[in-house]
Amino acid sequence: MADLKLNGVGKTYAGGVSAVADATFEIADAEFIVLVGPSGCGKSTILRMIAGLEEITEGDLQIGGRVVNAVEPGDRDIAMVFQNYALYPHMTVRGNMSYGLRNQGMPKAEIDTRIAEAARFLQLEPYLDRKPRALSGGQRQRVAMGRAIVREPSVFLFDEPLSNLDAKLRTQLRAELKDLHKRLGATFVYVTHDQIEAMSLADRIVIMSSGKIEQIGTPMDLYTNPASTFVAEFIGAPPMNVLQASGQAARELLSLAPDAPADLGFVGVRPEFLKVGDTGVKAHVTLVEPLGAETLVHLALGPDKMIMRGGQDHVFEAGSEITLTLAPSDLRFFDPSGRRISAA
Amino acid sequence: MVENRPLATVTTHVVLILGIVFLCFPVWVALVASTHPGEALARSPIPLWFGTQAVENYTQLLTAGVPAAGGVPLATMMFNSLIMALGITLGKIAISLLSAFAIVYFRFPLRMLFFWLIFITLMLPVEVRILPTYDVIASLGMLNSYFGLIIPLIASATATFLFRQFFLTIPDELVEAARMDRAGPIRFFWDILLPLSRTNIAALFIILFIYGWNQYLWPLLITTDQDLYTIVMGIQRMVNVGEGIPIWHYTMGTAILAMIPPVLVVLAMQRLFVKGLVESEK
């Protein structure tokens, strides 16, 4: 088992293009860390640098206290699960899982025990002698996980492992992954562009945008106290309403919050904190999306648009006008550059 | 296309059967001719059914050869052809696999230059470079040897290019997974690349074996020793007997014998080839 330390890690390609700049954070032993961000933000690059598939051009990376910048991927005590599974098509499931172990020169009996164990754990026992093409997507993904598990590495790396699966299977495997983490007690580093996956899996989330780390924190921390408008708009579905402070909607909402800081750039409020009240701000309902337990209500305040999450206690109708109210403490304030202004 | 029209079915069958007859008739004539005594073929009409001389003709051909055409037993010539064809085929496959492996998976200075150099040799078949190649082989003392027959024909730009294109379709993740699994370059090549290339190797084996087997000009040039003559040269020498007694029965027999190994290769490899095609769905 091992912890990871990234110290000013950066990646600049030969052409001078910088993919990741000055990534510094620590991952504790047995922690489940999720790197999340839009595509091209550098999250996969960080994962690939941890894996050793991408050369680190700046800073250093430690795994278990050892600087591994120049260590081959196979010798880093890590295992990786790829997005498209990357199973060897000509080998059986057993062959796929044992290949790495055979390359280490592990005795056959030991290999067999490990495979039997992993197969039982992943419910792959009936498929051990099949080739990958005879398996479904979910089974292939399990084999890819099995290939990682049998190596008993101290760090597991996952590169968007669920993106190729359908929604139902994704939810199921997500739960299995969390369970797997609990049972193995290993360090997990997981890359995804799906914020729901990030929220539901992570102990801590590292959220990135254009090569830089925006914020690191627990899922709830990121949700309630986003460090920037980027985080506020990335986390949550629907995301936080972020309004230009000079706009009509923001000005009206701010009238409900007397102690707002000066030099405001943006005001944010989560959809669930908007309530229907007797007094407050008037808004037009433009669109209603009933989802069962909740209803997403699209609102317009003059030119500004917002979304509120309504409960079952109120019936919303498109075209009607409602009165909004909120608790001042639920407002989040950002300066003109988008950084959070901590509550006064 | 599933259509059920009797007339269409009949027509397609007739056309196909005509095509087969058209293609197979010469082979049939050759096969029949090789079972008759020589005189029977000099008369009109040419026989279209088997004669009685099959065993005698083929025994004569395989063990003693035809005196008028040098008297080399065909068994020897076929053996020479086989060595040459196999040498060329296996050599070409091995070399192209390795050079494609180097070009695709290793970053070294002037990599693209080397690739284009290999590619350019496509424009230089043996016939074009025959004099310099002859000179090189002669200086190496390889005239009248299997090495001399095989080595000048062993490099193949086509096969290198084909393997390169195939390797480029193998997903990067597979290479990376192998790296995580501690497979070094040689292991990766042997355990992963080679098994995945099986279909391509089978297809190339067919093409290259026939290419090697049918070589004519080069063996003709560098072998003066009758013991190294190849079967294709043998056919040619029989046709060129000149004003002597017609030996069409032997010539046809030789042609039939020369046809057998390539046909066997196609039959044997085709099964693997088709199996590979069906299986390689990803």
Side-chain angles (χ1 to χ4, degrees), chain B residues 152-185:
Chain B
L153 301 171
I154 211 171
S156 168
T158 326
T160 307
F161 189 68
L162 194 125
F163 281 124
R164 172 185 179 266
Q165 294 309 97
F166 171 67
F167 290 170
L168 289 177
T169 66
I170 293 180
D172 288 345
E173 281 89 349
L174 212 58
V175 185
E176 290 168 352
R179 275 182 79 191
M180 309 288 280
D181 273 341
R182 285 199 189 199

Side-chain angles (χ1 to χ4, degrees), chain A residues 58-76:
Chain A
E58 296 110 41
D60 61 50
L61 166 72
Q62 294 179 22
I63 299 178
R66 175 173 71 128
V67 176
V68 293
N69 284 32
V71 177
E72 269 293 301
D75 301 324
R76 289 190 180 193

Side-chain angles (χ1 to χ4, degrees), chain B residues 22-33:
Chain B
F22 184 72
L23 284 175
C24 291
F25 185 68
V27 181
W28 176 256
V29 171
L31 188 64
V32 167

